[in-house]
Amino acid sequence: MRFVVSERCVGRIGLAVGAALVLAACAAGGGDGGPAGWSSAGGPAHGPAPTEAIDSVDSVDSVDSARAVRAAFGGAVGTEDLTGFGAAAGPVAVVRQAGAPATTLSITEGEVGEVGPHGTITYPSVTSCLVVTVYLRDGGKVGGHVSLFQVPGKYYSDEVLPAIRRAVGSRRVAAVDVSGAVGAWNPSYLRKAIERYTDGSVPEPTGDAKGIGDVVAKILGRQAKEVTVRDVPDGDIIR
C-alpha cells in the first residue's frame, strides 16, 4: 500500500473537525440543529437503508443537522436525477450509460459510475471528499465520489464502497486508487457515515492514510498492496 500526504491536510483537518463538532452538538441537542434562519421544512429526511458496510444504524434523523452544517460552510449540494445500476436499497445514486460503458463520465458527490476501456472519469470540485477508482484489467474503470456529508438522494459515505464492489462484481482488478482530502477523513467514516452518529460521538478526522487504505481494501475485498492512497490539491480529479 502506498501513501502520499501533503501539507494541505492541515487546513482540511480543521474544516472537518469543525463540521464534525457542529454536527455532534446538533445531534446531542435534540433539535434540528440549524443555524439562525435555517428551517428543516418538510420534516426529517431519511436516506437509503444501511448496506453491508456497517453493522447497525441507530437513526438517520440527523441528516437535517448535516444539511445545516453544509449550509453553514457554504457547500453547494446537487440534486440531479440519476439512472439506476444494479440492486441497491433506497434511492440509487449510480451513473452508467445505457448499453456499452461510457468513454467519458463525470461522477459527483455520492455517485458511483463506470467507463469502458481507455475511458476517462472526472470527479469535479474535490475539496473535502475522497474519490475511489478501481482499475479493471480489461482497461475499464469503476469509480465512486465519497463525500463527508450525504447529498440528498445519493449515497452516504458508508454506502459508496459497497456500491463500487457490486459494480465491479467478479471482474479482475489491476489496482485501486484513493485520492482527495485525506486529512479531512477518519477511516471510520467509510464504515459509518457521520450522519449516523446520533449520540454526539462523531470521531474526529485523523488523516490516517494507512487506515483509509485498509478499510477500502477490506470493503472492496482486495489486498492492501493493490490500494494507493494519496492526498491531492483541491479541484477536479481526472482518472
Side-chain angles (χ1 to χ4, degrees):
M1 190 178 297
R2 298 179 299 281
F3 313 105
V4 181
V5 181
S6 74
E7 293 180 359
R8 301 182 65 86
C9 287
V10 176
R12 287 165 166 171
I13 289 175
L15 172 62
V17 167
L21 290 177
V22 172
L23 180 57
C26 293
D32 65 10
W38 182 83
S39 171
S40 56
H46 295 270
T51 66
E52 61 268 32
I54 56 177
D55 297 327
S56 64
V57 175
D58 296 326
S59 171
V60 292
D61 287 346
S62 60
V63 172
D64 278 345
S65 298
R67 289 174 177 167
V69 172
R70 285 198 297 267
F73 280 93
V77 177
T79 56
E80 302 92 331
D81 290 330
L82 302 170
T83 57
F85 176 88
V92 178
V94 185
V95 179
R96 188 182 185 185
Q97 216 175 30
T103 55
T104 60
L105 189 63
S106 177
I107 300 179
T108 61
E109 295 180 33
E111 296 178 353
V112 171
E114 177 177 351
V115 294
H118 312 297
T120 300
I121 296 176
T122 298
Y123 303 97
S125 304
V126 178
T127 55
S128 61
C129 300
L130 292 177
V131 299
V132 181
T133 308
V134 177
Y135 290 81
L136 304 174
R137 290 193 179 275
D138 67 1
K141 303 178 188 115
V142 177
H145 194 144
V146 193
S147 57
L148 282 171
F149 299 100
Q150 187 229 15
V151 173
K154 301 184 183 182
Y155 284 128
Y156 287 90
S157 64
D158 55 16
E159 297 177 317
V160 171
L161 291 173
I164 291 175
R165 183 168 181 169
R166 289 194 298 270
V168 171
S170 60
R171 290 179 290 179
R172 298 178 66 192
V173 171
V176 179
D177 175 85
V178 182
S179 299
V182 172
W185 285 76
N186 184 305
S188 67
Y189 302 161
L190 296 169
R191 292 188 175 278
K192 182 175 180 179
I194 288 176
E195 291 92 339
R196 305 199 197 276
Y197 290 90
T198 59
D199 58 359
S201 63
V202 182
E204 293 186 1
T206 60
D208 179 5
K210 182 180 186 304
I212 289 171
D214 288 343
V215 170
V216 170
K218 185 171 183 178
I219 294 178
L220 293 183
R222 311 309 311 173
Q223 297 182 34
K225 66 182 181 181
E226 297 176 289
V227 180
T228 298
V229 180
R230 47 184 164 172
D231 185 82
V232 300
D234 296 347
D236 295 352
I237 294 178
I238 300 174
R239 294 290 182 259

PDB file of all heavy atoms in Angstrom, residues 42-62:
ATOM      1  N   GLY A  42     -40.502  20.369   5.948  1.00  0.00           N
ATOM      2  CA  GLY A  42     -40.735  19.066   5.361  1.00  0.00           C
ATOM      3  C   GLY A  42     -40.398  17.943   6.303  1.00  0.00           C
ATOM      4  O   GLY A  42     -40.645  16.785   6.004  1.00  0.00           O
ATOM      5  N   GLY A  43     -39.814  18.236   7.470  1.00  0.00           N
ATOM      6  CA  GLY A  43     -39.531  17.191   8.445  1.00  0.00           C
ATOM      7  C   GLY A  43     -38.230  16.489   8.178  1.00  0.00           C
ATOM      8  O   GLY A  43     -37.503  16.799   7.235  1.00  0.00           O
ATOM      9  N   PRO A  44     -37.900  15.507   9.014  1.00  0.00           N
ATOM     10  CA  PRO A  44     -36.628  14.796   8.886  1.00  0.00           C
ATOM     11  C   PRO A  44     -36.514  14.098   7.547  1.00  0.00           C
ATOM     12  O   PRO A  44     -37.493  13.573   7.016  1.00  0.00           O
ATOM     13  CB  PRO A  44     -36.669  13.780  10.040  1.00  0.00           C
ATOM     14  CG  PRO A  44     -37.688  14.327  10.989  1.00  0.00           C
ATOM     15  CD  PRO A  44     -38.692  15.033  10.145  1.00  0.00           C
ATOM     16  N   ALA A  45     -35.321  14.097   6.999  1.00  0.00           N
ATOM     17  CA  ALA A  45     -35.080  13.399   5.738  1.00  0.00           C
ATOM     18  C   ALA A  45     -34.438  12.062   6.047  1.00  0.00           C
ATOM     19  O   ALA A  45     -33.518  11.984   6.844  1.00  0.00           O
ATOM     20  CB  ALA A  45     -34.158  14.234   4.847  1.00  0.00           C
ATOM     21  N   HIS A  46     -34.922  11.031   5.415  1.00  0.00           N
ATOM     22  CA  HIS A  46     -34.389   9.693   5.653  1.00  0.00           C
ATOM     23  C   HIS A  46     -33.721   9.191   4.388  1.00  0.00           C
ATOM     24  O   HIS A  46     -34.277   9.266   3.310  1.00  0.00           O
ATOM     25  CB  HIS A  46     -35.504   8.738   6.073  1.00  0.00           C
ATOM     26  CG  HIS A  46     -36.120   9.105   7.386  1.00  0.00           C
ATOM     27  ND1 HIS A  46     -35.662   8.631   8.588  1.00  0.00           N
ATOM     28  CD2 HIS A  46     -37.136   9.949   7.689  1.00  0.00           C
ATOM     29  CE1 HIS A  46     -36.379   9.130   9.578  1.00  0.00           C
ATOM     30  NE2 HIS A  46     -37.275   9.945   9.060  1.00  0.00           N
ATOM     31  N   GLY A  47     -32.514   8.670   4.515  1.00  0.00           N
ATOM     32  CA  GLY A  47     -31.755   8.201   3.367  1.00  0.00           C
ATOM     33  C   GLY A  47     -31.951   6.718   3.133  1.00  0.00           C
ATOM     34  O   GLY A  47     -32.848   6.084   3.687  1.00  0.00           O
ATOM     35  N   PRO A  48     -31.079   6.144   2.290  1.00  0.00           N
ATOM     36  CA  PRO A  48     -31.173   4.734   1.955  1.00  0.00           C
ATOM     37  C   PRO A  48     -30.988   3.846   3.180  1.00  0.00           C
ATOM     38  O   PRO A  48     -30.407   4.255   4.183  1.00  0.00           O
ATOM     39  CB  PRO A  48     -30.010   4.544   0.964  1.00  0.00           C
ATOM     40  CG  PRO A  48     -29.713   5.917   0.458  1.00  0.00           C
ATOM     41  CD  PRO A  48     -30.013   6.834   1.597  1.00  0.00           C
ATOM     42  N   ALA A  49     -31.470   2.640   3.088  1.00  0.00           N
ATOM     43  CA  ALA A  49     -31.276   1.665   4.162  1.00  0.00           C
ATOM     44  C   ALA A  49     -29.801   1.341   4.285  1.00  0.00           C
ATOM     45  O   ALA A  49     -29.041   1.495   3.345  1.00  0.00           O
ATOM     46  CB  ALA A  49     -32.067   0.386   3.842  1.00  0.00           C
ATOM     47  N   PRO A  50     -29.334   0.908   5.456  1.00  0.00           N
ATOM     48  CA  PRO A  50     -27.912   0.597   5.637  1.00  0.00           C
ATOM     49  C   PRO A  50     -27.476  -0.541   4.725  1.00  0.00           C
ATOM     50  O   PRO A  50     -28.264  -1.411   4.360  1.00  0.00           O
ATOM     51  CB  PRO A  50     -27.826   0.196   7.114  1.00  0.00           C
ATOM     52  CG  PRO A  50     -29.206  -0.201   7.495  1.00  0.00           C
ATOM     53  CD  PRO A  50     -30.107   0.678   6.675  1.00  0.00           C
ATOM     54  N   THR A  51     -26.204  -0.531   4.344  1.00  0.00           N
ATOM     55  CA  THR A  51     -25.662  -1.567   3.484  1.00  0.00           C
ATOM     56  C   THR A  51     -24.772  -2.482   4.293  1.00  0.00           C
ATOM     57  O   THR A  51     -24.619  -2.331   5.495  1.00  0.00           O
ATOM     58  CB  THR A  51     -24.824  -0.934   2.362  1.00  0.00           C
ATOM     59  OG1 THR A  51     -23.684  -0.330   2.974  1.00  0.00           O
ATOM     60  CG2 THR A  51     -25.612   0.121   1.609  1.00  0.00           C
ATOM     61  N   GLU A  52     -24.132  -3.416   3.587  1.00  0.00           N
ATOM     62  CA  GLU A  52     -23.269  -4.363   4.280  1.00  0.00           C
ATOM     63  C   GLU A  52     -22.019  -3.719   4.841  1.00  0.00           C
ATOM     64  O   GLU A  52     -21.258  -4.351   5.554  1.00  0.00           O
ATOM     65  CB  GLU A  52     -22.865  -5.497   3.321  1.00  0.00           C
ATOM     66  CG  GLU A  52     -22.085  -5.036   2.110  1.00  0.00           C
ATOM     67  CD  GLU A  52     -22.972  -4.745   0.921  1.00  0.00           C
ATOM     68  OE1 GLU A  52     -24.116  -4.314   1.112  1.00  0.00           O
ATOM     69  OE2 GLU A  52     -22.519  -4.987  -0.213  1.00  0.00           O
ATOM     70  N   ALA A  53     -21.786  -2.445   4.550  1.00  0.00           N
ATOM     71  CA  ALA A  53     -20.573  -1.791   5.032  1.00  0.00           C
ATOM     72  C   ALA A  53     -20.636  -1.451   6.509  1.00  0.00           C
ATOM     73  O   ALA A  53     -19.618  -1.170   7.119  1.00  0.00           O
ATOM     74  CB  ALA A  53     -20.321  -0.510   4.247  1.00  0.00           C
ATOM     75  N   ILE A  54     -21.830  -1.434   7.105  1.00  0.00           N
ATOM     76  CA  ILE A  54     -21.944  -1.067   8.509  1.00  0.00           C
ATOM     77  C   ILE A  54     -22.704  -2.143   9.250  1.00  0.00           C
ATOM     78  O   ILE A  54     -23.504  -2.866   8.677  1.00  0.00           O
ATOM     79  CB  ILE A  54     -22.653   0.288   8.678  1.00  0.00           C
ATOM     80  CG1 ILE A  54     -24.035   0.260   8.008  1.00  0.00           C
ATOM     81  CG2 ILE A  54     -21.838   1.422   8.109  1.00  0.00           C
ATOM     82  CD1 ILE A  54     -24.822   1.533   8.207  1.00  0.00           C
ATOM     83  N   ASP A  55     -22.441  -2.236  10.552  1.00  0.00           N
ATOM     84  CA  ASP A  55     -23.077  -3.270  11.345  1.00  0.00           C
ATOM     85  C   ASP A  55     -24.492  -2.893  11.736  1.00  0.00           C
ATOM     86  O   ASP A  55     -25.385  -3.729  11.747  1.00  0.00           O
ATOM     87  CB  ASP A  55     -22.253  -3.529  12.611  1.00  0.00           C
ATOM     88  CG  ASP A  55     -20.876  -4.061  12.284  1.00  0.00           C
ATOM     89  OD1 ASP A  55     -20.762  -4.793  11.288  1.00  0.00           O
ATOM     90  OD2 ASP A  55     -19.927  -3.746  13.011  1.00  0.00           O
ATOM     91  N   SER A  56     -24.713  -1.640  12.110  1.00  0.00           N
ATOM     92  CA  SER A  56     -26.044  -1.234  12.523  1.00  0.00           C
ATOM     93  C   SER A  56     -26.179   0.262  12.394  1.00  0.00           C
ATOM     94  O   SER A  56     -25.202   0.989  12.336  1.00  0.00           O
ATOM     95  CB  SER A  56     -26.300  -1.642  13.976  1.00  0.00           C
ATOM     96  OG  SER A  56     -25.413  -0.961  14.841  1.00  0.00           O
ATOM     97  N   VAL A  57     -27.429   0.735  12.357  1.00  0.00           N
ATOM     98  CA  VAL A  57     -27.709   2.155  12.258  1.00  0.00           C
ATOM     99  C   VAL A  57     -28.758   2.494  13.295  1.00  0.00           C
ATOM    100  O   VAL A  57     -29.829   1.905  13.329  1.00  0.00           O
ATOM    101  CB  VAL A  57     -28.248   2.506  10.847  1.00  0.00           C
ATOM    102  CG1 VAL A  57     -28.656   3.970  10.821  1.00  0.00           C
ATOM    103  CG2 VAL A  57     -27.209   2.226   9.786  1.00  0.00           C
ATOM    104  N   ASP A  58     -28.442   3.439  14.184  1.00  0.00           N
ATOM    105  CA  ASP A  58     -29.405   3.824  15.208  1.00  0.00           C
ATOM    106  C   ASP A  58     -30.496   4.696  14.627  1.00  0.00           C
ATOM    107  O   ASP A  58     -31.676   4.529  14.920  1.00  0.00           O
ATOM    108  CB  ASP A  58     -28.688   4.580  16.330  1.00  0.00           C
ATOM    109  CG  ASP A  58     -27.681   3.707  17.039  1.00  0.00           C
ATOM    110  OD1 ASP A  58     -27.923   2.497  17.167  1.00  0.00           O
ATOM    111  OD2 ASP A  58     -26.644   4.244  17.451  1.00  0.00           O
ATOM    112  N   SER A  59     -30.112   5.671  13.805  1.00  0.00           N
ATOM    113  CA  SER A  59     -31.080   6.609  13.254  1.00  0.00           C
ATOM    114  C   SER A  59     -30.421   7.407  12.157  1.00  0.00           C
ATOM    115  O   SER A  59     -29.222   7.577  12.143  1.00  0.00           O
ATOM    116  CB  SER A  59     -31.588   7.560  14.344  1.00  0.00           C
ATOM    117  OG  SER A  59     -32.365   8.590  13.790  1.00  0.00           O
ATOM    118  N   VAL A  60     -31.219   7.898  11.208  1.00  0.00           N
ATOM    119  CA  VAL A  60     -30.693   8.808  10.201  1.00  0.00           C
ATOM    120  C   VAL A  60     -31.410  10.141  10.287  1.00  0.00           C
ATOM    121  O   VAL A  60     -31.366  10.942   9.376  1.00  0.00           O
ATOM    122  CB  VAL A  60     -30.849   8.225   8.769  1.00  0.00           C
ATOM    123  CG1 VAL A  60     -29.964   7.030   8.604  1.00  0.00           C
ATOM    124  CG2 VAL A  60     -32.297   7.869   8.465  1.00  0.00           C
ATOM    125  N   ASP A  61     -32.078  10.412  11.428  1.00  0.00           N
ATOM    126  CA  ASP A  61     -32.789  11.674  11.586  1.00  0.00           C
ATOM    127  C   ASP A  61     -31.854  12.871  11.635  1.00  0.00           C
ATOM    128  O   ASP A  61     -32.292  14.003  11.454  1.00  0.00           O
ATOM    129  CB  ASP A  61     -33.637  11.652  12.854  1.00  0.00           C
ATOM    130  CG  ASP A  61     -34.855  10.758  12.693  1.00  0.00           C
ATOM    131  OD1 ASP A  61     -35.171  10.393  11.561  1.00  0.00           O
ATOM    132  OD2 ASP A  61     -35.473  10.455  13.711  1.00  0.00           O
ATOM    133  N   SER A  62     -30.560  12.639  11.898  1.00  0.00           N
ATOM    134  CA  SER A  62     -29.632  13.759  11.985  1.00  0.00           C
ATOM    135  C   SER A  62     -29.194  14.253  10.621  1.00  0.00           C
ATOM    136  O   SER A  62     -28.331  15.117  10.524  1.00  0.00           O
ATOM    137  CB  SER A  62     -28.402  13.365  12.791  1.00  0.00           C
ATOM    138  OG  SER A  62     -27.738  12.280  12.189  1.00  0.00           O
TER     139      SER A  62
END
